[in-house]
Amino acid sequence: MAANESKLWYLEQINIFRDLNEEDLHRIDLVTNMRSMEKGKYIFFPDDPSKVVFLLKKGKVKIGSFSNDGKEIIKAILEPGEIFGEMAIMGQEKRKDFAQALTNDVRFCAIGVEEMREMLISNPKLGFEVTKTIGDRLQKIERRLESLVFKDARQRILEFILNNALEKGMTVGFGLKLKHELTHQDIANLTATSRQTVTIILNELREMELINFDRKSILIHDLKEFKEEVKKGQS
C-alpha cells in the first residue's frame, strides 16, 4: 500500500463520509477493519447473519441474488466510495443478497452494525447521507424492474449501455467511453437477457457504427446519435 493510502485516507474517499471533519473520521477509523478480497471471492452469501456494514475503498463489487432455479440475478455493480450490506442498519437479520469481488485486490472496511447505528445517531448529517444512499439504490432497482416489465431485450441493453456511460464514462470526442469489468454474461444478468442476446445486440450496434467494444470497455462514438437510437425503442 502506498504511503498516502492509509485506512484514514481511504475513509475520506467514502461518499457518505465526504463532509465529515477529521475528528469524526478518526472515530470511524478506530471501529473499522480493513479487508482485502481477490476477484471471484464472496464477501457474504444469502442467509449469512447481517451483523456488519461494508464500505468499498478499492475495486468493484457485485451485489446479487439467486433465483429458485439457481440463476444469478445481478442487482448492482458498486464502485469505490459506496456502502453495501447497509440493510443491516434497517434491522435485516439475514442477508438476502450476495456480495462478490468483481475485480482483483478489492479493499473494503467492515464496521459492526451497532457501531454504525451509534455513529448515525450522533451525526444526523451522516444519517441523512446513508438514508439518501439507500433510497437512491432502491429507486434504481425499481427503475430496472419497470424496464423488465415494459421493455424488450434490445431496449434494455441499449439503456444499460447509455445509463452506465452517462454515470461512469469519460468523454471521448463526441462520445463516451465506459471502462468496465463485466462479461457478456454479467450484462445479460443485469438486463434479464441471455449472453447470446447481449453478444448479438453489441455486434449489431458495432455494425451500425454506434459503438465499438472490447473485453474492458464500450465506446459510444456519438452520444447524440446513440440517444436517438435509444429513443426509437421508447416510442
Side-chain angles (χ1 to χ4, degrees):
M1 185 186 303
N4 65 327
E5 293 183 354
S6 64
K7 188 170 74 165
L8 191 59
W9 181 88
Y10 274 119
L11 287 173
E12 291 173 344
Q13 314 310 309
I14 301 297
N15 296 342
I16 61 172
F17 296 157
R18 58 193 162 204
D19 293 327
L20 296 187
N21 59 41
E22 190 172 340
E23 182 181 349
D24 287 332
L25 287 171
H26 277 291
R27 287 176 54 203
I28 296 168
D29 183 44
L30 293 174
V31 296
T32 56
N33 296 307
M34 183 184 287
R35 302 180 189 176
S36 296
M37 194 75 70
E38 293 305 310
K39 183 177 180 179
K41 298 292 185 181
Y42 285 87
I43 299 165
F44 57 76
F45 291 95
D47 293 326
D48 281 354
S50 296
K51 295 182 178 179
V52 180
V53 178
F54 302 94
L55 308 164
L56 183 58
K57 304 174 182 180
K58 183 180 179 183
K60 296 182 182 181
V61 167
K62 177 167 63 177
I63 304 296
S65 59
F66 298 104
S67 64
N68 292 334
D69 59 2
K71 183 179 179 181
E72 183 182 274
I73 302 168
I74 301 178
K75 296 183 177 180
I77 303 295
L78 305 184
E79 304 278 346
E82 297 194 68
I83 185 174
F84 61 105
E86 73 281 356
M87 294 308 293
I89 304 170
M90 313 301 289
Q92 183 188 72
E93 295 184 358
K94 291 186 177 181
R95 307 286 186 194
K96 293 185 178 180
D97 300 324
F98 67 78
Q100 182 184 27
L102 191 60
T103 57
N104 284 318
D105 195 22
V106 166
R107 293 183 185 176
F108 54 90
C109 268
I111 180 170
V113 174
E114 292 308 317
E115 286 85 356
M116 191 70 185
R117 285 174 178 161
E118 288 177 10
M119 284 196 298
L120 298 182
I121 292 171
S122 62
N123 193 318
K125 195 170 187 179
L126 178 60
F128 171 79
E129 289 293 337
V130 171
T131 302
K132 183 176 181 295
T133 297
I134 294 173
D136 289 345
R137 194 164 293 167
L138 290 174
Q139 280 189 341
K140 286 183 179 180
I141 292 174
E142 184 177 348
R143 286 197 297 269
R144 284 187 58 212
L145 289 174
E146 290 177 354
S147 177
L148 297 182
V149 173
F150 298 112
K151 297 172 183 177
D152 62 22
R154 185 179 189 276
Q155 189 66 18
R156 293 201 297 273
I157 293 168
L158 262 69
E159 290 188 5
F160 169 81
I161 294 170
L162 177 61
N163 291 336
N164 278 270
L166 289 172
E167 184 179 349
K168 305 170 186 175
M170 63 178 183
T171 301
V172 178
F174 294 106
L176 290 171
K177 186 173 185 178
L178 172 66
K179 293 184 178 180
H180 65 86
E181 301 286 340
L182 302 175
T183 64
H184 286 191
Q185 186 61 58
D186 288 331
I187 296 174
N189 292 344
L190 279 160
T191 56
T193 57
S194 68
R195 181 181 59 80
Q196 293 85 351
T197 299
V198 171
T199 300
I200 289 169
I201 298 301
L202 289 178
N203 285 331
E204 175 195 319
L205 294 172
R206 180 159 60 186
E207 289 174 6
M208 295 171 66
E209 298 186 349
L210 289 172
I211 69 167
N212 202 357
F213 65 90
D214 54 34
R215 292 178 60 188
K216 297 292 185 181
S217 66
I218 298 174
L219 172 64
I220 297 175
H221 293 302
D222 189 302
L223 183 58
K224 183 179 178 181
E225 287 185 8
F226 195 86
K227 285 182 175 180
E228 288 174 357
E229 185 66 26
V230 172
K231 285 181 181 178
K232 289 179 184 178
Q234 296 172 342
S235 58

